Amino acid sequence: RVKLNGKNDFMLFDPSMNEDIQRKASLEQDLKLAMKNKELELYYQPKFDLELNRYDGMEALVRWNHPVRGFIPPFEFIKIAEESNLIIELGTWILEKSCRFIMEYNRTHHSEYCVSVNVSTIQLLNENFEKTVLSILESTGLNPAYLELEITETVFMNSMDTAYEKLKFFKEKNINIALDDFGTGYSSLTYLKSLPITTVKLDKSFVDDITFNAISFGIVDNVIQIARSIGLIIVVEGVETNEQLQILKSLRCHKIQGYYFSKPVPEAELPLVLSQYH
Ligand code: C2E
Ligand code: MG
Ligand code: MG
Ligand code: MG
């Protein structure tokens, strides 16, 4: 925050030092308005099931089109939202909108797609989170089996017990839980089997060089086989080429997500994208 000198109303700040802080403060303000002004939109990226040879769901990804600054990538404003606790309101909005959307989409298209929604660690650990999820499922009428919550390993770093209890609660309600960005943190294959999750999403960084890096290939191979052996669904993110797709297929990966099939698209474009493999 910019400090004002009471006497002269004189601004005391070093421009170079405060640029970041100012941008953050002003984005925080703007983000509050953005939620009201409908500058936020959800895009959806389809997820392809390699065994069924068709799409089986999609991930909701938030987009912010700022009236002045233009497109702001989610990693930037999600972080700001987390630091200011706006993430609770934003996350609830995203969850509600995704559930309502998939419910309506499935109804009008006679489909059975599942929607995956990213859940920030702060959001998951919030004491009201379970209540929020259940009330959204109730008000939208969505079958919990068509909802997947994507969480990251950071939820286990400080609050293992709380996170574990919460995930167990959701799993018992038949809600799917995916561990996102697997392989980027302190991921351990041994703890996978003890977590109340249904899916592992292997991070894009492993698939990037899978066609020419034997180490990446080996890691992906192992993660897929271990995930399978403990009964988890394995999704690989960031698949961009047919070559990568063929390798993942040969390694018996369950599902893939990536630009090879489709970038995240706005609601209106989904029917056309999904109709290619249904
Ligand atoms: P994520 O959940 O791991 O989402 C996957 C990201 O990879 C998305 O970026 C997606 O557009 C991108 N991606 C998918 N396939 C490809 C590919 O083939 N090539 C490349 N280069 N990229 C691909 P996006 O939408 O920019 O989101 C980035 C991150 O921001 C997400 O990573 C997630 O951590 C966060 N995020 C996005 N939407 C939400 C949200 O609604 N709530 C929360 N809490 N976080 C969100
Ligand atoms: Mg995700
Ligand atoms: Mg990811
Ligand atoms: Mg990510």
Side-chain angles (χ1 to χ4, degrees):
R1 292 276 151 78
V2 172
K3 258 194 181 171
L4 291 178
N5 175 327
K7 269 184 196 163
N8 308 317
D9 248 23
F10 180 73
M11 285 198 184
L12 295 172
F13 67 88
D14 165 8
S16 65
M17 194 187 83
N18 277 292
E19 230 166 84
D20 265 16
I21 300 173
Q22 279 185 61
R23 181 175 158 91
K24 245 179 71 180
S26 101
L27 280 180
E28 188 182 322
Q29 281 308 311
D30 293 358
L31 188 54
K32 286 182 189 160
L33 292 173
M35 286 193 265
K36 284 205 193 91
N37 298 345
K38 301 185 173 151
E39 290 162 26
L40 297 173
E41 195 184 349
L42 295 184
Y43 275 42
Y44 296 91
Q45 185 179 38
K47 191 170 54 176
F48 189 84
D49 188 314
L50 290 169
E51 291 176 346
L52 302 175
N53 218 42
R54 61 172 171 79
Y55 294 126
D56 79 327
M58 63 204 82
E59 177 174 7
L61 294 155
V62 67
R63 298 288 178 258
W64 182 8
N65 201 348
H66 189 286
V68 179
R69 295 174 206 261
F71 176 80
I72 301 170
F75 74 82
E76 188 176 356
F77 68 88
I78 292 289
K79 217 175 102 217
I80 290 170
E82 284 174 348
E83 285 162 2
S84 60
N85 233 42
L86 264 178
I87 193 68
I88 304 301
E89 199 183 331
L90 178 61
T92 302
W93 180 84
I94 291 167
L95 196 61
E96 221 268 336
K97 192 147 164 70
S98 315
C99 289
R100 196 168 293 285
F101 170 72
I102 202 68
M103 179 74 194
E104 188 58 16
Y105 193 97
N106 283 339
R107 193 181 65 77
T108 51
H109 294 81
H110 309 286
S111 52
E112 294 187 13
Y113 295 116
C114 172
V115 72
S116 303
V117 182
N118 292 287
V119 173
S120 144
T121 291
I122 295 174
Q123 194 186 353
L124 178 82
L125 296 178
N126 183 278
E127 56 180 4
N128 292 320
F129 187 61
E130 293 95 310
K131 246 190 276 167
T132 303
V133 173
L134 294 187
S135 99
I136 288 173
L137 286 174
E138 200 183 296
S139 68
T140 58
L142 183 69
N143 179 337
Y146 296 143
L147 174 63
E148 180 167 76
L149 304 175
E150 294 196 2
I151 54 138
T152 57
E153 293 164 292
T154 55
V155 302
F156 302 115
M157 293 186 10
N158 298 315
S159 327
M160 185 62 175
D161 293 349
T162 313
Y164 189 96
E165 286 309 315
K166 283 175 180 254
L167 298 180
K168 207 167 124 238
F169 173 85
F170 289 127
K171 221 184 143 189
E172 279 161 6
K173 298 277 180 215
N174 217 17
I175 296 169
N176 305 288
I177 309 286
L179 186 57
D180 202 357
D181 302 338
F182 187 75
T184 58
Y186 299 94
S187 324
S188 146
L189 286 169
T190 53
Y191 86 162
L192 271 185
K193 75 170 191 299
S194 61
L195 295 178
I197 59 173
T198 44
T199 305
V200 182
K201 292 187 88 171
L202 188 62
D203 193 69
K204 177 180 185 302
S205 51
F206 296 99
V207 82
D208 280 343
D209 56 1
I210 195 174
T211 53
F212 54 87
N213 184 332
I215 295 173
S216 287
F217 180 93
I219 292 171
V220 176
D221 185 11
N222 274 286
V223 174
I224 291 174
Q225 306 329 319
I226 288 171
R228 275 189 165 272
S229 74
I230 54 184
L232 295 173
I233 303 284
I234 176 95
V235 180
V236 174
E237 299 191 278
V239 178
E240 295 181 348
T241 69
N242 186 41
E243 223 182 333
Q244 294 169 337
L245 164 73
Q246 295 311 326
I247 291 176
L248 292 165
K249 211 170 176 171
S250 74
L251 296 177
R252 298 184 65 231
C253 172
H254 290 115
K255 302 173 189 185
I256 59 175
Q257 205 183 316
Y259 292 177
Y260 176 73
F261 281 105
S262 174
K263 288 195 170 184
V265 296
E267 273 181 24
E269 287 174 35
L270 255 187
L272 183 63
V273 170
L274 293 174
S275 69
Q276 291 176 288
Y277 301 95
H278 58 85

